[in-house]
Amino acid sequence: MKTAIDYLKFDVEYTEWKILKNMLTDNSLDNVKQIGFEMHTPEFLGKFQNKNTPTHATVNDYIKMVNLLKGLEKKNFRKFNHRRNPFCEYKATYADKTFYSCYELHYVNMNFVSSNYTVKSN
């Protein structure tokens, strides 16, 4: 049996989608008990690259992101925490609303959780 990893955390400024896709495909998350990462939308790239006009996410962008997050659920991960990152706040040009282009997400691998909902130790 491979060594279990208690917690995997990454913040890779929009590259998380490629990394997550690879990890789901190659089963490298099978021995990870918990995962935490910051997810970014395309709007983040515009702010990060100091563009005056941010790139807006398309419906297809959101479908890809949701499908990758559902991929975690298929691997028996369950989200137990999420929060907006206040540093990723932006005003939409088409509405007088504030939106966020990044969120912190935390998941637990239910394969490592006992029936009383505690994470199993090695």
Side-chain angles (χ1 to χ4, degrees):
M1 182 176 173
K2 293 182 182 179
T3 302
I5 298 168
D6 290 326
Y7 187 72
L8 174 66
K9 168 85 166 104
F10 56 95
D11 182 0
V12 290
E13 312 307 335
Y14 196 73
T15 310
E16 67 275 3
W17 302 112
K18 288 179 185 177
I19 292 170
L20 194 55
K21 182 178 179 181
N22 288 337
M23 288 192 297
L24 290 169
T25 303
D26 70 9
N27 299 319
S28 60
L29 293 174
D30 289 354
N31 293 317
V32 176
K33 293 181 180 181
Q34 296 180 65
I35 184 171
F37 61 96
E38 187 174 63
M39 62 151 279
H40 303 82
T41 64
E43 289 83 359
F44 172 81
L45 292 175
K47 184 175 182 178
F48 185 69
Q49 296 168 347
N50 293 322
K51 292 182 180 177
N52 290 334
T53 309
T55 303
H56 291 291
T58 65
V59 171
N60 284 336
D61 290 329
Y62 282 112
I63 289 171
K64 288 177 188 176
M65 290 184 269
V66 166
N67 284 336
L68 285 169
L69 296 176
K70 283 184 178 183
L72 282 172
E73 291 181 6
K74 288 178 185 173
K75 293 281 188 180
N76 213 18
F77 281 86
R78 297 296 176 264
K79 184 171 59 175
F80 68 88
N81 186 41
H82 70 277
R83 73 172 191 91
R84 294 185 292 228
N85 183 329
F87 296 106
C88 296
E89 183 179 295
Y90 70 95
K91 281 262 193 204
T93 55
Y94 54 85
D96 189 25
K97 282 188 168 183
T98 300
F99 292 96
Y100 295 84
S101 60
C102 45
Y103 292 80
E104 301 280 342
L105 302 176
H106 302 94
Y107 288 81
V108 63
N109 186 340
M110 296 304 288
N111 296 325
F112 289 96
V113 175
S114 64
S115 60
N116 65 355
Y117 295 105
T118 57
V119 178
K120 298 175 188 173
S121 61
N122 292 343

